[in-house]
Amino acid sequence: MVTPTARRLAVGFVQDGFGVSQRRSCDALGVARSTCRYQSQRGEDPVRAPLRELATRRPRFGYRRLGILLRREGWTVNDKRVYRLYRADGLAVRRRKRRKLAAGARIVLAAPTQPNQRWSMDFMGDTLACGRTFRTLNIVDDCSRECLEIEVDTSISGVRVTRVLDRIAETRPLPDVIVVDNGPEFTSKALDAWAYAHGVRLQFIRPGKPVDNAFVESFNGKFRDECLNEHWFRDLADARAKIGAWKTDYNEVRPHSALGNRTPIEFAIVAGLTL
């Protein structure tokens, strides 16, 4: 189907290319002159400006998640309208290429029914502006999807992991189980002794099978895409500040599709769960 815009462009091309009038161009192409003279009476969509502003602040969000944020701000919009404006302004998220991995057998983790039943931990790494690398220890609650902590430093030992867990335990109960991989920090004597002393079971995934720790791996993907890849860290203090701000936004503002487009805090309140 040829759109009115395409017809107007074709008429203009014939006019410019052959030096003929608009009337003759329309007659030659079989286009009504009213189509070329039509001027839209609709003004600028009022949602357009706030949508652009949100997309600028959150470049890794797609139109559905941006639509949720618009509705939170009081705009009455559906996904179709947001998508039309999103495409018209060229706001589509650029897809990053990922390595293709061989499919393997997966272990489906049963979802916990209460916060603090099961946590997941994992390490990630990135680089400062000076070229020095740093690590992050990510700890996630598997039920509420809340990010409990992101510890940032150039080196994090097994003893440091236990200190981070003790710090979290000051404000909430410890879980029954913590899912971890087979890294040296998690298999260390320090963490093993800590887990035994606090009655926490360490559940180790199969070696080389990160899909067995799916909850924190899912978090890692969002953390990498929306924070680490979007910021330039001048030094360690700058990295801690920016990552800390992202963690707060992740827990208190960012909609989570797995939680019915609520935040972890909202999910806990609506479900009547105890953090």
Side-chain angles (χ1 to χ4, degrees):
M1 178 179 178
V2 181
T3 64
T5 300
R7 291 190 178 99
R8 287 193 291 270
L9 290 173
V11 169
F13 176 80
V14 172
Q15 278 185 269
D16 296 339
F18 296 94
V20 296
S21 66
Q22 185 185 84
R23 182 188 296 275
R24 293 192 64 182
S25 298
C26 289
D27 290 342
L29 296 175
V31 176
R33 291 186 66 197
S34 59
T35 299
C36 297
R37 295 195 299 266
Y38 174 77
Q39 297 292 329
S40 175
Q41 302 302 310
R42 293 193 304 178
E44 177 83 0
D45 193 313
V47 178
R48 199 166 206 153
L51 177 62
R52 287 183 192 142
E53 194 272 335
L54 276 174
T56 300
R57 287 193 288 112
R58 300 176 180 276
R60 301 307 299 171
F61 278 17
Y63 76 93
R64 290 188 179 88
R65 190 164 277 122
L66 291 174
I68 294 167
L69 296 181
L70 284 171
R71 288 189 282 274
R72 284 185 185 175
E73 294 180 358
W75 294 98
T76 304
V77 292
N78 58 26
D79 285 344
K80 289 183 178 179
R81 182 180 176 188
V82 175
Y83 180 74
R84 175 172 55 81
L85 297 172
Y86 182 81
R87 296 292 297 181
D89 286 347
L91 303 177
V93 176
R94 178 175 60 85
R95 293 184 180 275
R96 295 190 170 110
K97 293 183 179 180
R98 299 186 179 182
R99 292 183 305 163
K100 291 185 178 180
L101 302 177
R106 300 189 179 191
I107 295 178
V108 179
L109 294 175
T113 58
Q114 284 281 337
N116 305 314
Q117 282 186 350
R118 188 179 69 217
W119 295 354
S120 298
M121 297 195 299
D122 197 15
F123 283 98
M124 292 182 68
D126 210 318
T127 307
L128 301 174
C130 63
R132 188 176 187 184
T133 60
F134 67 90
R135 306 184 76 195
T136 68
L137 170 64
N138 307 334
I139 306 178
V140 178
D141 187 295
D142 290 356
C143 176
S144 67
R145 307 302 201 275
E146 180 184 2
C147 175
L148 306 177
E149 189 58 78
I150 304 179
E151 187 76 358
V152 182
D153 212 332
T154 54
S155 176
I156 303 177
S157 65
V159 174
R160 179 75 171 274
V161 173
T162 65
R163 292 174 183 168
V164 174
L165 292 169
D166 283 334
R167 190 167 70 236
I168 299 174
E170 294 176 359
T171 58
R172 65 174 63 224
L174 290 169
D176 300 325
V177 180
I178 300 179
V179 184
V180 294
D181 61 24
N182 295 272
E185 300 84 3
F186 297 143
T187 57
S188 65
K189 292 181 179 179
L191 184 59
D192 183 63
W194 178 91
Y196 179 80
H198 290 82
V200 176
R201 180 169 63 88
L202 297 178
Q203 179 176 320
F204 294 95
I205 66 173
R206 295 174 296 168
K209 300 293 183 181
V211 293
D212 291 353
N213 203 359
F215 288 90
V216 77
E217 289 294 338
S218 175
F219 170 83
N220 290 349
K222 298 177 179 67
F223 179 42
R224 174 72 67 187
D225 188 51
E226 299 173 13
C227 182
L228 297 183
N229 287 346
E230 292 296 312
H231 290 94
W232 184 70
F233 305 113
R234 297 189 303 273
D235 50 35
L236 205 56
D238 184 48
R240 286 170 176 159
K242 289 176 178 175
I243 290 173
W246 183 86
K247 169 179 169 285
T248 300
D249 181 84
Y250 180 88
N251 287 332
E252 301 178 6
V253 179
R254 184 189 189 281
H256 292 249
S257 58
L259 304 178
N261 292 322
R262 294 187 290 264
T263 68
I265 303 301
E266 290 172 338
F267 173 76
I269 294 174
V270 171
L273 305 178
T274 303
L275 293 174

